[in-house]
Amino acid sequence: MSEITTLTIKIPVELKEQIRAAAADAGHSLSAEVGARLEESYNHKGKKNAKATEHDVDNQHTSEAIEGALTQKEIKKLRTLLLSVRKTISKKK
């Protein structure tokens, strides 16, 4: 027999009632129903290792456009800016 542990989660009341009804229909406990469903989701045959799609990861569509690498001119300007900031900070001390 495998080791059993406790898991406390927060779910909407409506979902809990759906799980409770499914457990009652199947004739077993709420805990057994949840465990069976979780196990089924991880052992689902015929389903390849699911990989998250961009939509799954960025479901609010907040991804940024991919920028190219900085040019030598941009790097030089950035270094100059950083040096001026460093000098300003040193003067304030």
Side-chain angles (χ1 to χ4, degrees), residues 21-56:
D25 289 345
H28 51 253
S29 70
L30 182 68
S31 186
E33 180 69 23
V34 171
R37 286 175 179 256
L38 285 171
E39 200 170 292
E40 180 182 333
S41 72
Y42 282 101
N43 297 328
H44 188 66
K45 292 187 172 137
K47 190 173 187 181
K48 296 180 181 175
N49 291 337
K51 293 189 178 187
T53 64
E54 183 178 345
H55 179 73
D56 295 332

